[in-house]
Amino acid sequence: MQTHRRKRLEIVVEKKRAAAVLDLLDRDPEVTGWTMLPCLGGRGHTGTRLPEGATDALDTVVILVVTSEAVAQRVMAAVLELLAEHVGIVLLSDVEVARPAHF
Amino acid sequence: MQTHRRKRLEIVVEKKRAAAVLDLLDRDPEVTGWTMLPCLGGRGHTGTRLPEGATDALDTVVILVVTSEAVAQRVMAAVLELLAEHVGIVLLSDVEVARPAHF
Amino acid sequence: MQTHRRKRLEIVVEKKRAAAVLDLLDRDPEVTGWTMLPCLGGRGHTGTRLPEGATDALDTVVILVVTSEAVAQRVMAAVLELLAEHVGIVLLSDVEVARPAHF
Amino acid sequence: MDAALANLLSPPVLCFLLGLLAGVVRSDLEIPEAVARALALYLIFSIGFKGGVELAGTSDPRALLPPLLVAAGLSLLLPLPAFGLLRLLTRASRIDAAAIAAHYGSVSIVTYVAATSFLQARGIRFEGFMAALVAVMETPAILTGLLLARSGKSGAMDARRRRELLHEILANGSVVLLLGSFAIGLLTGAEGMRRLEPVVASGFQGVLCFFLLDMGLLVARRFTGFRTMGAGLLLFGLLMPIVGAATGLLAGRLVGLSLGGTALLATLSASASYIAVPAAMRLALPRADPSLSLSLALGVTFPFNLLLGIPLYLAAAGWLFG
Amino acid sequence: MDAALANLLSPPVLCFLLGLLAGVVRSDLEIPEAVARALALYLIFSIGFKGGVELAGTSDPRALLPPLLVAAGLSLLLPLPAFGLLRLLTRASRIDAAAIAAHYGSVSIVTYVAATSFLQARGIRFEGFMAALVAVMETPAILTGLLLARSGKSGAMDARRRRELLHEILANGSVVLLLGSFAIGLLTGAEGMRRLEPVVASGFQGVLCFFLLDMGLLVARRFTGFRTMGAGLLLFGLLMPIVGAATGLLAGRLVGLSLGGTALLATLSASASYIAVPAAMRLALPRADPSLSLSLALGVTFPFNLLLGIPLYLAAAGWLFG
Amino acid sequence: MDAALANLLSPPVLCFLLGLLAGVVRSDLEIPEAVARALALYLIFSIGFKGGVELAGTSDPRALLPPLLVAAGLSLLLPLPAFGLLRLLTRASRIDAAAIAAHYGSVSIVTYVAATSFLQARGIRFEGFMAALVAVMETPAILTGLLLARSGKSGAMDARRRRELLHEILANGSVVLLLGSFAIGLLTGAEGMRRLEPVVASGFQGVLCFFLLDMGLLVARRFTGFRTMGAGLLLFGLLMPIVGAATGLLAGRLVGLSLGGTALLATLSASASYIAVPAAMRLALPRADPSLSLSLALGVTFPFNLLLGIPLYLAAAGWLFG
Ligand SMILES: Nc1ncnc2c1ncn2[C@@H]1O[C@H](COP(=O)(O)O)[C@@H](O)[C@H]1O
Ligand SMILES: Nc1ncnc2c1ncn2[C@@H]1O[C@H](COP(=O)(O)O)[C@@H](O)[C@H]1O
Ligand SMILES: Nc1ncnc2c1ncn2[C@@H]1O[C@H](COP(=O)(O)O)[C@@H](O)[C@H]1O
Ligand code: NA
Ligand code: NA
Ligand code: NA
C-alpha cells in the first residue's frame, strides 16, 4: 500500500487553554484537522496532576495534528509562542498516511 | 536493551463504527492485540466534533495496533476499504518493542 | 524551528498497576515528566477488555514518557521487570522536541 | 400570552436560559458528558414508564392503535414538506436537505418532556400512551430521508449497508429504552409505580432542569455554527416547526386525542431529532454534513419550541377544541 | 412458583431483562461507565448504612458475632467444592480453576441487593447485620483460591507481591465502603436515617432498576464470551450456585438466622463476585484468564440467581423453617 | 464541645472521615470524576436556588446590599493578612505567596454547604441571601492576589492576557451557576420550590455525604503533598482560617446579620477556594505552583474547618451575640 510522509504534532496542554490552541489551528488554512484526547493526569515542571473531583483547573488534554512538514514547523512555533510560560509540551514525529490529499 | 522494529497503526474512527474495525482486527489471526482510547473531539472533512451531551452520534475513538510491517500494510488497506466514505483516518509509524513474540 | 531528538515510551498497563509504574518514574531523577491517558478497552494475551460498568479491575491506561535515549532504555527495562508476568506492553519510538531542557 | 410568560418563568426554561447565557459569555460551566447522557436516559425511562403505568390503568388499550398509526404516518410524511421548503429556501445540497428533512420528521424527546412538564404545571391531562407515540415517531422519518437522498441517484445501497442501517433504526438505544420502559410500566402498573415513584416522578422536574441547563450550553455552542448558515436555513428552522405543529394539531384532532394529547402531538411534529436520527444519518448518508442538521435542530428549532412553540401549540389546540 | 413469577415481573428484574434484550439485539443503548460505577457505590453505601441503622436499633449487637464467623467460614470453604466441581466437569487449568473458585466463594453485592428488594416486596424481614456479612464474605475466598492455585507449585509468592495482595484484600474499595457505611449507620442511627432517608431509602428501587439495566447489557455482551466456553463450564455456572445455596441455607439455620436472613445467606453463598475478586486475581494470579471467570460469574450465575435462584432459595428456606 | 462532637458524628462529616481513611490506607475506592463534578454542580445549584427562594419570601430585598458590599470587601482584603502571614511564616516565593493569598480571600463552597447543613441540624436559621454572598466572595480576592504578585515587578500583563483573566473571573462556571440559580429561585419563589423540592431539598444531605466522601479521598491524596511542605506552611493553613473567621465574625455583627448568618460569614472568610481561584491562577500566574495552594486549601484548611472550625465559629458567634 502506497503511503506518504507527514508529520504528527502532539500538544499536551491544560484543558482551559485548549480552546486557544484549537483556534490557532482552525485559523491556519493548511491544517486540515485535529483530534483531542483526554488525559487522566500528568507530571511536569508544574507538579503532578491527578484526577481531582473538586476542580477541573488542572485537567490536561492531548491535541494531535497530522500535517505536512512545513506546516508542522509553523504550527509548532506558533503553539510554543502561545503557550509561552504556560504549562504544556509539544512533540513532533514522523507518520505515514495513505490518502495524502486528506492532510 | 535489545528492541525489535514493528509498525504502529492508529485509526481514528466514529465510536459507532469502531466495532466493525475491531471485528476486522479480531478476525485477522496475525493481529495479536489492540488498544482503544476515547477522543474528546476532533475536526476533519466532516466538520468539528466537540463533547455533545445530547447525542453520542459524533463520538470518535482512536484504535492503536502494534504489529509487523506486513500485517500493518494489510490491515491498513482493509480498514481504509471498510471506512470507505465514512469518517476516519489511518496513521502508520515506526515503533520498537522489547518482546517480539508479543506482537 | 530547531528541534532535538528524544525517545517516547508508551506503556499500556492495568490502571490498578499504574501507580507502581508512576512511582518508578517518579523515583528516577532523570525522568522529568509523564502523561497518563485512559483507555476504553483493549485486547492482548489476557483476552479482550471492554468498558465494564460492574468493575474497574480490567481498566487499562497509557503512560507516555518523553526522555533521552539512555533514560528511555533504562526505564523500559525497569518497567518490563516490574510488569513481569502482569498485563502490559511497552513501546519505544522517536520524537523531536523544541525545548531540550524540558525533557 | 399569560401561558407563554408562565412557561418562560418556569424553572426548567429558566435553567435552559441560564445555560444559554453561560454559553454565550463562554463561561467554563460544563456538565460532564457522562452525566448529561445518564440524565437523558433517565428522562426517557421516566416518560416511558409513566406512560405505560397510565395505560395499564385505562380500560381500553385498543384505543392506542389509531393514534399510533397516525403518528407513524406523520413521521413518514413530514420530511416531504421539510425537503420541499429546504430546496425552496436554501442552497443545501440534495443530500444535506434529505438528511435535515429526516431530522424534522422525527422527534425531540426533550422537547416532548418539556411539553408534558408544561401541561402538568397547568393541570392539563393527556393520554398515557403518548409516550408510545414518541417511540413510533422516532425512526420512520429516516426511511423517507433516505428515499429523498437516493431519488437523484441510480445506485442503491449495498446489502451490508442496508442491513446495518435497518439495525441502527430498530435497535437504536433511545427507541429500545422508551418502548422497554413503556412495557415495564404496562406490566407492573400501579404496584411498579409505588416502588419507583420517588425516582421517576418526584425527581423528574429537578433532572429536567439540569438537563436543560446542559442543553442551553450546547445550543449556545451551536450559535457560532449557524453564523455561517445563511438566512434561508434559519428561516427554515423557524418555519418548519409551524408547518409540523399545524399538521400535528389536525391529525390529533382527527384521531380523537384529548386537548393535552393534541398539543403534545403538535409539539412532537414540530420538533426535530438530535439523538436517533443523527446516529442513523452518519451511517446512511456519511457525506451529509452532521453539524448542519444538528445546528438547525438543536440551535434553532429546539429553543424556538421550548420558549415559544409549546405554549403556542397549546393555545392553538385550545382554539381548535373550541 | 407464584413468587418466582412475581420476581420476574418486578421492575428491577424487568429492567435487567430489558438490558439483556437490548444487548442481544446489539442496540447502542449504553449507560455511561462513570455513572454505572457511581450507582454501584450508591447501592453499596445504601445497604451498608441501612444495615448499620437497623443494628443500632436492636437490643443485642453481640448476636452479630456467630453469624459473622459462619459467613467468613462459608467464604473460606466454598471455593473447595467449586474447585472440585471444576476439575471434575471442565478442562480448566489448575490456575484458572482456582481463580474461578475464589469468585464463587466470594459474593455478588448486586445479587444481594436484588434479594433484599425481593424480600422487602414480600414483606419478609431480615437481620440488620446481614450487610456486615456481605462485607466479611467478600475476601476470605481469595486466600483459599490462592492456596488452591499454589498447591501444585513449590514456589511461593515473593514478599512484595504478598504485601500488595494483602493490601488489595483489606483495602478493596467495596469492602471499605460497605464496612464504612455500616459503621456510619451504626453511629448515627435513626437520626442519621432521618437525614439520609430520601436518598438511601426512597431512591433505592429506582437506582437498582438503572443498575440492573446496565447489568443486562453487560451480561449480554458476555454471552459471546461463553459461546466458546464449553458445556462443562456452563454446567458449573448453574450447579455451583445450588451447592452454595444449600450450604448457606444449612449454615443460616444452624446459626439461628431468621427466615429472611437465611434466604439472604443462601443467596450470598450462591452468588459469585465480579468486583472485589477479579481485582485481586489480576494481582495474585495474573496468568489466570480474567474473561473466563467474569463470563461465568456475570454471564451465567448472576442471571440464574436473579431470575430463578432468589425465589428458589426463599422457598427452600421456607420449607426448612417449616 | 457538645456541638463539636455532634458535628463530628453527623453523616456528612463521618463520610468525609471515611473517605480520608480509605485514602490513607490507599484503598482503590474511587468516585468517578464526572460524577463528583456533577455532584458539586448540584450542591451549588441547590444552595443558590434555595437562597433565592428564601429571599423571594422576605419583605425587604434591599437589606441585601450592605452585606453584599461587606462580603466583597472581605474577599478583597483578606489576601493582605494572608500574604503577610505567608511571608512571615514561610519561605514561599512572592508569586506563590500571592497565589495562596488569593485562595484564602476567596471561599470554599463545600465548606459553606457543610456549615449550612450543620446549622440546619441545630435548627439555627440564617438569611436567604447568604448564597449570594458566597458568589460575590468568590472572585475579588483574585485581583488582590494579582496586585500582590505584581507589586514586585515593573512589567504589567499584556492586554490579551488581561482580557482573558477578566473573562475567567466573570464567567467562572461556579459563579455563573450560583448567581443564576439564585436568580431562578428569586423569580420562581415558592412555586418553583414546590416543583424542585424533591431534588434540591430532600436529596441534599445524601449528595453532600457522597461529595464529602470524595473530598476525603482527595484530601488524603494531598497529604503526601504536604509532607514536603514545611511546618511554616502547615501553621499558616491552620492560623489563617482563625484570622479570617475572626474578621468575618466582626464584619457580620457590624452589618447586622443574624446569629446564623454571622457564623456563615465567618466560615466563608475562614475557608479557601479550590474551584474558582485555582483556575484563574493557572491563567494569571502560570508560574505559581498549583499543587502548593491546592494542598494547603484542600489538605489543611478544608478539613480543619469541616471538623473543628464550623462549630467553633458558631460558638464564637453565639458568644458575640451574648
Ligand atoms: N517528559 C514528559 N513526558 C511526558 N509528558 C510530559 C513530560 N513533561 C511534561 N509532560 C506533560 O505536560 C504537562 C505539562 O508539563 P509542564 O508544563 O512541564 O508542567 C504535564 O502535566 C504532563 O502531562
Ligand atoms: N489532519 C488531522 N490531524 C489529526 N486528526 C485528524 C485530522 N483529520 C481528521 N482527523 C480526525 O479524524 C476524524 C475524522 O476525520 P474526517 O473523516 O476528515 O472528518 C476527525 O474528527 C479528527 O478527529
Ligand atoms: N498488539 C497490540 N497492539 C496494541 N495494543 C496491544 C497489543 N497487545 C496488547 N495491547 C494492549 O495491552 C493490553 C495488555 O496486553 P496483554 O498483556 O497482552 O493482555 C491489552 O489490553 C491492550 O490494550
Ligand atoms: Na418532527
Ligand atoms: Na458465593
Ligand atoms: Na476565605
Side-chain angles (χ1 to χ4, degrees):
Chain A
M1 155 142 257
Q2 153 104 39
T3 56
H4 308 259
R5 284 191 71 141
R6 290 289 181 279
K7 284 287 176 182
R8 149 221 215 90
L9 271 177
E10 280 158 302
I11 306 159
V12 181
V13 67
E14 289 190 331
K15 199 175 172 187
K16 305 239 168 194
R17 238 46 69 210
V21 175
L22 299 182
D23 272 358
L24 189 152
L25 297 174
D26 288 347
R27 275 198 311 269
D28 190 321
E30 291 189 79
V31 172
T32 58
W34 46 262
T35 302
M36 180 160 64
L37 294 95
C39 297
L40 276 183
R43 180 166 71 84
H45 292 84
T46 52
T48 301
R49 299 146 189 271
L50 285 169
E52 193 80 69
T55 172
D56 58 358
L58 303 187
D59 284 4
T60 50
V61 296
V62 178
I63 298 171
L64 166 72
V65 188
V66 178
T67 189
S68 69
E69 166 99 48
V71 176
Q73 292 282 349
R74 182 169 76 217
V75 169
M76 190 176 193
V79 169
L80 282 170
E81 204 201 302
L82 180 81
L83 293 183
E85 51 188 339
H86 281 298
V87 163
I89 62 174
V90 186
L91 309 176
L92 183 70
S93 57
D94 291 326
V95 76
E96 283 166 89
V97 301
R99 297 176 297 183
H102 208 104
F103 302 94
Chain B
M1 158 144 254
Q2 152 104 34
T3 57
H4 308 261
R5 284 192 72 142
R6 289 291 180 277
K7 284 285 176 185
R8 149 218 215 94
L9 271 177
E10 281 158 302
I11 304 160
V12 180
V13 68
E14 290 191 330
K15 199 175 172 187
K16 304 238 168 193
R17 239 46 69 211
V21 175
L22 298 181
D23 272 0
L24 188 154
L25 297 173
D26 288 348
R27 276 198 310 270
D28 189 320
E30 290 189 80
V31 172
T32 57
W34 47 261
T35 302
M36 181 160 63
L37 294 95
C39 297
L40 276 184
R43 180 166 71 83
H45 292 83
T46 51
T48 302
R49 298 146 190 272
L50 286 169
E52 194 81 67
T55 172
D56 57 358
L58 304 186
D59 285 6
T60 50
V61 296
V62 179
I63 298 170
L64 167 73
V65 187
V66 178
T67 188
S68 69
E69 165 98 49
V71 176
Q73 292 281 351
R74 182 170 76 219
V75 169
M76 189 176 194
V79 169
L80 282 171
E81 203 200 302
L82 180 82
L83 292 184
E85 50 187 342
H86 280 299
V87 163
I89 62 175
V90 185
L91 309 175
L92 183 70
S93 57
D94 292 326
V95 76
E96 283 166 89
V97 300
R99 298 177 294 184
H102 208 103
F103 302 94
Chain C
M1 158 143 252
Q2 152 103 39
T3 58
H4 307 259
R5 284 192 70 143
R6 289 290 179 280
K7 283 287 176 185
R8 148 219 215 92
L9 272 177
E10 281 158 300
I11 306 158
V12 181
V13 68
E14 290 191 330
K15 199 175 171 188
K16 305 238 168 193
R17 239 47 69 214
V21 175
L22 299 182
D23 272 0
L24 187 154
L25 297 175
D26 288 348
R27 275 198 310 269
D28 189 320
E30 290 189 79
V31 172
T32 58
W34 47 263
T35 302
M36 180 161 62
L37 293 95
C39 296
L40 276 183
R43 180 167 71 83
H45 292 82
T46 51
T48 302
R49 298 146 189 271
L50 285 169
E52 192 81 68
T55 172
D56 58 357
L58 303 187
D59 285 5
T60 50
V61 296
V62 179
I63 298 171
L64 166 72
V65 187
V66 178
T67 188
S68 70
E69 166 99 48
V71 177
Q73 293 281 353
R74 182 169 76 219
V75 170
M76 190 176 192
V79 169
L80 282 171
E81 204 201 302
L82 179 81
L83 292 184
E85 53 187 337
H86 280 298
V87 163
I89 62 175
V90 186
L91 309 175
L92 182 70
S93 57
D94 291 326
V95 77
E96 283 167 89
V97 300
R99 298 177 295 184
H102 208 104
F103 302 94
Chain D
M1 270 311 84
D2 199 38
L5 195 70
N7 180 49
L8 283 179
L9 289 181
S10 70
V13 173
L14 286 171
C15 282
F16 174 75
L17 292 174
L18 175 59
L20 209 60
L21 178 80
V24 166
V25 304
R26 291 175 140 251
S27 164
D28 62 354
L29 183 61
E30 188 184 315
I31 297 198
E33 220 182 351
V35 174
R37 287 180 186 173
L39 296 183
L41 297 180
Y42 164 88
L43 292 175
I44 294 175
F45 183 89
S46 289
I47 59 165
F49 181 77
K50 287 189 283 191
V53 169
E54 193 121 329
L55 189 62
T58 63
S59 44
D60 185 11
R62 269 168 314 162
L64 173 60
L65 213 66
L68 270 188
L69 289 176
V70 165
L74 282 170
S75 176
L76 264 179
L77 296 180
L78 280 173
L80 298 178
F83 187 75
L85 270 177
L86 282 163
R87 299 296 270 175
L88 203 76
L89 295 173
T90 75
R91 275 169 312 175
S93 72
R94 162 174 293 275
I95 286 194
D96 277 336
I100 298 174
H103 287 75
Y104 279 82
S106 179
V107 299
S108 150
I109 297 187
V110 183
T111 311
Y112 173 80
V113 167
T116 63
S117 152
F118 175 73
L119 291 182
Q120 268 153 8
R122 315 190 72 72
I124 299 172
R125 296 186 54 82
F126 50 88
E127 286 80 0
F129 56 65
M130 288 308 296
L133 300 205
V134 183
V136 301
M137 286 184 80
E138 281 214 58
T139 47
I142 295 171
L143 297 177
T144 315
L146 284 188
L147 291 177
L148 289 170
R150 305 278 150 184
S151 57
K153 298 205 307 178
S154 55
M157 274 179 146
D158 65 45
R160 178 168 66 81
R161 178 83 68 86
R162 213 177 307 122
R163 254 198 341 271
E164 278 178 20
L165 182 64
L166 196 71
H167 176 260
E168 178 80 42
I169 291 178
L170 295 178
N172 175 282
S174 57
V175 175
V176 168
L177 183 59
L178 191 50
L179 288 179
S181 55
F182 190 84
I184 295 177
L186 203 56
L187 282 168
T188 61
E191 164 61 15
M193 184 48 108
R194 204 183 49 71
R195 287 171 75 169
L196 299 192
E197 201 279 338
V199 167
V200 300
S202 309
F204 195 73
Q205 288 286 325
V207 172
L208 180 59
C209 282
F210 280 100
F211 192 75
L212 286 177
L213 183 66
D214 191 46
M215 291 296 292
L217 291 165
L218 295 179
V219 167
R221 197 190 292 153
R222 289 280 154 202
F223 281 171
T224 55
F226 59 69
R227 254 181 234 143
T228 57
M229 218 190 240
L233 275 170
L234 268 173
L235 192 62
F236 170 81
L238 300 173
L239 224 56
M240 187 57 211
I242 309 278
V243 173
T247 321
L249 277 175
L250 293 177
R253 189 74 172 106
L254 284 179
V255 80
L257 290 180
S258 66
L259 171 68
T262 303
L264 285 182
L265 189 62
T267 304
L268 285 171
S269 307
S271 74
S273 165
Y274 42 83
I275 302 188
V277 180
M281 287 297 128
R282 297 312 305 136
L283 187 62
L285 301 176
R287 270 179 301 192
D289 179 347
S291 40
L292 201 62
S293 34
L294 269 182
S295 291
L296 263 179
L298 212 61
V300 183
T301 300
F302 175 74
F304 173 74
N305 280 328
L306 184 71
L307 302 178
L308 298 178
I310 294 174
L312 192 70
Y313 309 150
L314 175 65
W319 177 84
L320 210 66
F321 274 71
Chain E
M1 272 307 90
D2 199 38
L5 195 70
N7 179 48
L8 283 179
L9 288 180
S10 70
V13 173
L14 287 172
C15 282
F16 173 75
L17 292 173
L18 175 59
L20 210 59
L21 177 79
V24 165
V25 304
R26 291 174 141 252
S27 164
D28 62 356
L29 183 61
E30 187 185 316
I31 297 198
E33 220 181 351
V35 173
R37 287 181 187 171
L39 297 183
L41 297 180
Y42 164 90
L43 292 174
I44 294 174
F45 183 89
S46 289
I47 59 166
F49 181 77
K50 286 189 284 191
V53 169
E54 194 121 328
L55 189 62
T58 63
S59 43
D60 186 10
R62 266 169 315 163
L64 173 61
L65 213 65
L68 271 188
L69 289 176
V70 165
L74 281 170
S75 175
L76 264 178
L77 297 179
L78 280 172
L80 298 177
F83 187 76
L85 269 176
L86 281 162
R87 299 296 269 175
L88 203 75
L89 295 173
T90 75
R91 275 168 312 174
S93 71
R94 162 175 291 275
I95 286 195
D96 277 335
I100 297 174
H103 288 74
Y104 278 82
S106 178
V107 299
S108 150
I109 297 188
V110 182
T111 310
Y112 173 79
V113 167
T116 63
S117 153
F118 175 73
L119 291 182
Q120 267 153 8
R122 316 191 72 71
I124 299 172
R125 296 187 53 83
F126 51 87
E127 287 81 0
F129 57 66
M130 288 307 296
L133 299 206
V134 183
V136 300
M137 285 183 81
E138 282 214 56
T139 48
I142 295 171
L143 297 177
T144 315
L146 284 188
L147 291 177
L148 289 169
R150 306 280 148 180
S151 56
K153 298 206 305 177
S154 56
M157 274 180 147
D158 67 46
R160 180 169 64 84
R161 179 82 69 84
R162 213 179 306 122
R163 249 196 348 267
E164 277 178 20
L165 182 64
L166 196 72
H167 177 260
E168 178 81 41
I169 292 178
L170 295 178
N172 177 281
S174 56
V175 175
V176 168
L177 184 58
L178 192 49
L179 288 178
S181 56
F182 190 84
I184 294 178
L186 205 55
L187 282 168
T188 61
E191 164 62 13
M193 184 46 109
R194 204 185 47 73
R195 288 172 74 169
L196 298 193
E197 200 279 336
V199 168
V200 300
S202 310
F204 195 73
Q205 288 286 327
V207 172
L208 180 58
C209 282
F210 281 99
F211 192 75
L212 286 177
L213 183 66
D214 191 47
M215 292 295 293
L217 290 165
L218 294 178
V219 167
R221 196 189 292 152
R222 288 280 155 204
F223 281 171
T224 56
F226 60 68
R227 256 182 234 142
T228 58
M229 219 189 239
L233 274 170
L234 267 174
L235 193 62
F236 170 81
L238 300 173
L239 224 57
M240 186 59 211
I242 310 275
V243 173
T247 321
L249 277 174
L250 293 178
R253 190 75 172 107
L254 284 180
V255 80
L257 289 181
S258 66
L259 170 67
T262 303
L264 285 181
L265 189 61
T267 305
L268 285 170
S269 306
S271 74
S273 165
Y274 42 82
I275 302 189
V277 180
M281 285 299 129
R282 298 310 306 133
L283 187 62
L285 301 176
R287 270 179 300 193
D289 180 346
S291 40
L292 202 62
S293 35
L294 269 182
S295 290
L296 263 179
L298 211 60
V300 183
T301 300
F302 175 74
F304 172 74
N305 280 328
L306 184 70
L307 302 178
L308 299 178
I310 294 174
L312 191 69
Y313 309 150
L314 175 64
W319 177 84
L320 209 67
F321 274 72
Chain F
M1 270 311 86
D2 199 38
L5 196 70
N7 180 49
L8 283 179
L9 288 181
S10 70
V13 172
L14 286 172
C15 282
F16 174 76
L17 292 173
L18 174 58
L20 210 59
L21 178 79
V24 166
V25 303
R26 290 176 141 252
S27 163
D28 62 357
L29 183 59
E30 187 185 316
I31 297 199
E33 223 184 348
V35 173
R37 286 180 187 174
L39 296 183
L41 296 180
Y42 165 89
L43 291 175
I44 294 175
F45 183 91
S46 290
I47 59 164
F49 181 78
K50 287 189 281 192
V53 169
E54 193 122 329
L55 189 61
T58 64
S59 44
D60 186 11
R62 268 167 314 163
L64 173 60
L65 213 66
L68 271 189
L69 289 176
V70 165
L74 281 170
S75 175
L76 265 178
L77 297 178
L78 281 172
L80 298 177
F83 187 77
L85 270 177
L86 281 163
R87 299 295 269 174
L88 203 76
L89 294 174
T90 75
R91 274 168 312 172
S93 71
R94 163 176 290 274
I95 286 194
D96 277 336
I100 297 174
H103 287 74
Y104 279 82
S106 178
V107 299
S108 149
I109 297 187
V110 183
T111 310
Y112 173 79
V113 167
T116 63
S117 152
F118 174 72
L119 292 182
Q120 267 153 10
R122 316 191 71 71
I124 299 173
R125 296 188 53 82
F126 51 88
E127 287 80 0
F129 57 66
M130 288 309 295
L133 300 204
V134 182
V136 302
M137 287 184 78
E138 281 214 57
T139 48
I142 296 171
L143 297 177
T144 315
L146 285 189
L147 290 177
L148 288 169
R150 304 282 148 177
S151 58
K153 299 206 304 176
S154 56
M157 273 179 149
D158 67 47
R160 180 168 66 82
R161 177 83 68 86
R162 213 178 307 125
R163 253 197 344 268
E164 278 177 19
L165 182 65
L166 196 72
H167 176 261
E168 178 81 42
I169 292 178
L170 295 178
N172 177 280
S174 56
V175 174
V176 168
L177 185 59
L178 192 48
L179 288 179
S181 55
F182 190 83
I184 294 177
L186 203 55
L187 282 169
T188 62
E191 164 61 16
M193 184 46 110
R194 202 184 49 71
R195 288 171 73 170
L196 299 193
E197 201 279 335
V199 169
V200 300
S202 309
F204 195 75
Q205 289 286 326
V207 172
L208 180 59
C209 282
F210 281 99
F211 192 75
L212 286 176
L213 182 66
D214 190 47
M215 292 294 295
L217 291 165
L218 294 178
V219 167
R221 198 190 293 153
R222 290 279 155 202
F223 281 171
T224 55
F226 61 67
R227 254 181 235 143
T228 58
M229 216 191 243
L233 273 170
L234 267 173
L235 192 61
F236 169 80
L238 300 173
L239 224 55
M240 187 57 212
I242 309 277
V243 173
T247 321
L249 277 175
L250 293 177
R253 190 74 173 105
L254 284 179
V255 80
L257 290 181
S258 66
L259 170 66
T262 302
L264 286 181
L265 189 61
T267 304
L268 285 170
S269 306
S271 74
S273 165
Y274 42 82
I275 302 188
V277 180
M281 285 299 127
R282 298 310 307 135
L283 186 62
L285 301 176
R287 272 179 298 193
D289 180 346
S291 41
L292 201 62
S293 34
L294 270 182
S295 290
L296 263 179
L298 211 61
V300 183
T301 300
F302 175 75
F304 173 74
N305 280 328
L306 185 71
L307 302 178
L308 299 177
I310 293 174
L312 192 68
Y313 309 150
L314 175 65
W319 176 83
L320 209 65
F321 274 70

